[in-house]
Amino acid sequence: MSFFVENWVLILVAFVSGAMLVWPAVRGGGSRVNVPTGEAVRLINREKGVLIDVGEPGEFSAGHAAGARNVPFGQVEGSRDLPSNKALPVVLLCPTGARAARAAGLLRKAGYEKAFAVAGGTAAWREAQLPVDKSPAAEKAPA
């Protein structure tokens, strides 16, 4: 018992440092929504992720990531253009990344556990010199 009394400071430090290591897992720190462009490309190429642009049709036709489908933010919930396999990664984009992050949250609540938003949106996509398409016609999901 005297060990604990004499070394209470060391025991307190050990307890606090252990709690700090466990805290991110307890509060859900492993479920990040925003990913950098490099991680987005990895999800698309290696895990067959689906790229969805949640911008409005006018924003989409002004320039979007090559291969992206357009599902405006207001139509994300219940859209048939989303993959039916909820285990596939869904990578979301919008001009700034704000609507994409909100859409990722909505999709996670709907069961898409791998819904991610590209941090910085289409602007970050362009800055990373990734392919951008300016065709006015939105790509549709395969039937």
Side-chain angles (χ1 to χ4, degrees):
M1 187 66 167
S2 65
F3 174 80
F4 294 108
V5 173
E6 292 173 9
N7 296 301
W8 71 271
V9 172
L10 294 175
I11 295 169
L12 179 66
V13 169
F15 177 76
V16 169
S17 66
M20 290 172 62
L21 289 171
V22 172
W23 181 250
V26 169
R27 76 176 179 120
S31 62
R32 63 192 168 110
V33 173
N34 291 322
V35 294
T37 54
E39 177 69 9
V41 171
R42 187 193 69 75
L43 288 166
I44 294 164
N45 291 338
R46 293 192 182 160
E47 296 186 34
K48 299 182 182 183
V50 178
L51 185 60
I52 307 276
D53 190 315
V54 295
E56 294 303 315
E59 294 170 324
F60 184 78
S61 63
H64 57 274
R69 301 176 189 172
N70 185 220
V71 179
F73 178 76
Q75 300 171 13
V76 166
E77 290 181 298
S79 174
R80 293 181 179 250
D81 287 334
L82 295 173
S84 57
N85 181 355
K86 292 185 178 184
L88 285 176
V90 178
V91 180
L92 300 151
L93 271 171
C94 72
T96 63
R99 279 178 284 175
R102 290 193 343 234
L106 291 173
L107 290 179
R108 284 184 179 210
K109 287 179 184 175
Y112 291 89
E113 293 179 16
K114 293 183 180 180
F116 299 101
V118 176
T122 309
W125 190 270
R126 283 189 178 111
E127 189 176 308
Q129 298 180 348
L130 294 168
V132 176
D133 190 6
K134 291 188 179 182
S135 65
E139 292 186 23
K140 293 293 179 186

